[in-house]
Amino acid sequence: MSRSVFSHFLNLSTSSPCLATSLCNGRFQSKYWKEPAIIAHRQRNLKGFRCVCSVLPTEPAVEKTPSSSLRKRIVSGVQPTGSIHLGNYLGAIKNWISLQNTYDTLFFIVDLHAITLSYDAQKLSKATRDTAAIYLACGVDTSKASVFVQSHVRAHVEMMWLLSSATPIGWLNRMIQFKEKSLKAGDENVGVALLTYPVLMASDILLYQSDFVPVGEDQKQHLELTRELAERVNHLYGGRKWKKLGGRGGSLFKVPEPLIPPAGARIMSLTDGLSKMSKSAPSDQSRINLLDPKDVVVNKIKRCKTDSFSGLEFDNPERPECNNLLSIYQLVSGRTKEEVAHECQDMSWGKFKPLLTDALVDHLDPIQVRYMEIISDSAYLDQILAEGATKASDIADATLSNVYQAMGFLRR
């Protein structure tokens, strides 16, 4: 996903024949779960399901300043591996800023996911702090959103184990990312965590009774697995079964819906317009990192891949690099797609590249200045993360306690 969680959620396409899903007729469709009771339950859950994929809400839906208890909830996060790049920012973090004004939001650094493949233990702690500082520098407001580190809320790991007992191994074997990553790393070097981390991802979402999860177009398969797992656990342990054990009955988990931004959900590489911008790409030239200095940004845009067509245009399948660079310009300049298309339709690459470079530098400079202020004040950052973990734990522990009870465990 470039390996970001929900933005990590997650470098998977929807092409798997066994986990194929689609957003049509206002709801997800799944082809591999045929149990009648589950289907009926699922249809009840999804009745009236509203696809929100084409709209990124920027205004409160109910009232101007609704209390967090009345707001719908969103969770999202990014892995602290490598540098946070433009794809992470435009595809996820930038959208959080408007979402936090409308929703009850929890944004966390998914450090537990960062160890599913080979990593540098000496750098993990620093990368985690850097990522948190970037969240805040980009405009995440801790008076509106909780910011915390995933491993600081122990319910994530406990819930993962409980959900693992209800997750069919076949579901995980079909995950495209596991196949791709294990093939690249070699079977003998692949840890069990790479296979099972979709269950941890499901725990990340379900612990907080999330209503929506911001995801990219290529990440819907993993969210659908989370939805299916929520329904499976609700069926196996919820309702009357839970009530007989002293619980309130009903569903243990909300079944979350996808929230897909209208633009910027998939920023592509500067060296290949058909590949997603990624932290794991071997060449740093393929991405703009949020902390890249001006001279580096200038050099990367000057050398980025273009084409030989005349003029510039969106949505031409023969011009993926052109569409990607125009999309980046649109997002960092704050203009509409129509405005950019009109402005750039007769431009040459020689004229457009300096325009894009200036827009990028102007957009990133205040983020970089604020980042340096935050990262230099370790006490402030530690306080923010501690407060965020406390708020998150209050929600997560309540959900975890219910699941323990519904699954028959002796009360602590």
Side-chain angles (χ1 to χ4, degrees):
M1 36 187 184
S2 69
R3 301 196 69 229
S4 58
V5 153
F6 311 117
S7 24
H8 107 305
F9 287 159
L10 284 124
N11 281 343
L12 296 173
S13 86
T14 55
S15 59
S16 167
C18 295
L19 281 174
T21 61
S22 62
L23 283 171
C24 57
N25 298 323
R27 70 186 185 198
F28 271 114
Q29 291 184 334
S30 176
K31 298 181 179 178
Y32 65 97
W33 200 346
K34 303 299 184 182
E35 186 177 352
I38 300 297
I39 291 292
H41 171 74
R42 189 162 178 221
Q43 288 173 342
R44 288 193 298 271
N45 267 356
L46 292 179
K47 186 176 182 181
F49 172 76
R50 176 173 56 87
C51 175
V52 291
C53 301
S54 62
V55 179
L56 179 64
T58 57
E59 295 294 330
V62 180
E63 56 185 83
K64 297 217 172 185
T65 56
S67 68
S68 60
S69 63
L70 298 177
R71 293 181 174 190
K72 298 289 188 180
R73 181 172 293 147
I74 282 178
V75 297
S76 192
V78 173
Q79 288 197 36
T81 51
S83 298
I84 300 297
H85 57 66
L86 201 64
N88 301 137
Y89 171 63
L90 295 178
I93 301 173
K94 185 174 183 291
N95 295 316
W96 296 351
I97 310 311
S98 58
L99 294 176
Q100 68 185 351
N101 295 322
T102 307
Y103 297 93
D104 179 21
T105 48
L106 297 99
F107 302 129
F108 54 107
I109 299 90
V110 290
D111 55 341
L112 293 172
H113 287 275
I115 67 172
T116 55
L117 292 172
S118 178
Y119 74 103
D120 189 337
Q122 301 300 319
K123 296 180 179 179
L124 180 59
S125 178
K126 181 181 184 303
T128 300
R129 295 178 63 81
D130 287 348
T131 302
I134 287 176
Y135 282 9
L136 301 178
C138 289
V140 173
D141 185 345
T142 56
S143 70
K144 302 175 181 178
S146 296
V147 177
F148 63 98
V149 178
Q150 182 188 26
S151 64
H152 292 181
V153 180
R154 295 187 177 183
H156 286 260
V157 177
E158 291 188 56
M159 182 64 80
M160 178 194 178
W161 182 251
L162 298 178
L163 294 183
S164 293
S165 71
T167 306
I169 190 69
W171 292 12
L172 301 180
N173 284 332
R174 298 179 186 118
M175 291 288 94
I176 293 173
Q177 188 176 61
F178 172 71
K179 293 180 179 180
E180 293 177 347
K181 297 289 185 180
S182 60
L183 183 64
K184 185 181 297 186
D187 290 339
E188 69 281 0
N189 295 317
V190 173
V192 173
L194 184 62
L195 176 65
T196 60
Y197 94 93
V199 185
L200 176 58
M201 185 208 75
S203 300
D204 297 335
I205 299 169
L206 300 179
L207 269 173
Y208 299 102
Q209 303 296 343
S210 310
D211 295 284
F212 298 111
V213 179
V215 293
E217 285 287 352
D218 62 335
Q219 301 160 0
K220 291 183 292 185
Q221 187 191 37
H222 253 198
L223 180 58
E224 178 64 1
L225 182 139
T226 298
R227 290 165 51 84
E228 299 284 11
L229 187 53
E231 291 172 344
R232 180 176 172 85
V233 172
N234 285 342
H235 173 72
L236 291 174
Y237 301 107
R240 294 181 180 178
K241 299 172 187 176
W242 180 21
K243 198 165 187 178
K244 288 180 180 179
L245 292 171
R248 70 167 188 268
S251 296
L252 287 156
F253 297 124
K254 283 186 179 180
V255 180
E257 298 177 4
L259 184 64
I260 302 176
R266 189 172 173 83
I267 301 299
M268 311 308 284
S269 166
L270 298 181
T271 56
D272 179 6
L274 297 176
S275 299
K276 191 173 180 180
M277 188 174 286
S278 171
K279 301 175 188 178
S280 60
S283 173
D284 192 60
Q285 177 65 31
S286 67
R287 55 189 169 265
I288 299 290
N289 302 304
L290 289 197
L291 301 181
D292 279 346
K294 179 179 179 179
D295 61 328
V296 174
V297 174
V298 170
N299 182 59
K300 288 181 176 180
I301 296 300
K302 185 181 296 185
R303 296 173 57 194
C304 70
K305 184 179 179 181
T306 56
D307 56 44
S308 58
F309 290 85
S310 299
L312 304 178
E313 59 184 329
F314 285 100
D315 302 326
N316 185 337
E318 296 182 9
R319 307 186 68 184
E321 288 81 17
C322 182
N323 184 73
N324 185 48
L325 294 175
L326 286 175
S327 295
I328 292 173
Y329 178 60
Q330 173 199 339
L331 291 164
V332 299
S333 66
R335 304 187 184 190
T336 66
K337 185 175 182 178
E338 291 72 22
E339 288 172 338
V340 171
H342 179 73
E343 178 187 9
C344 303
Q345 60 185 344
D346 297 321
M347 278 190 185
S348 65
W349 287 114
K351 185 176 180 181
F352 175 72
K353 283 188 173 182
L355 186 69
L356 174 59
T357 299
D358 289 344
L360 277 167
V361 170
D362 289 345
H363 193 90
L364 295 180
D365 180 68
I367 294 174
Q368 295 173 355
V369 170
R370 179 61 179 147
Y371 165 82
M372 292 305 300
E373 294 173 350
I374 295 168
I375 203 67
S376 63
D377 190 346
S378 59
Y380 168 75
L381 187 56
D382 288 342
Q383 180 182 355
I384 292 296
L385 295 177
E387 291 175 353
T390 297
K391 293 177 183 178
S393 293
D394 289 343
I395 302 169
D397 289 346
T399 300
L400 182 65
S401 178
N402 286 338
V403 175
Y404 270 126
Q405 182 186 46
M407 292 181 70
F409 286 88
L410 179 67
R411 186 177 295 275
R412 298 183 184 184

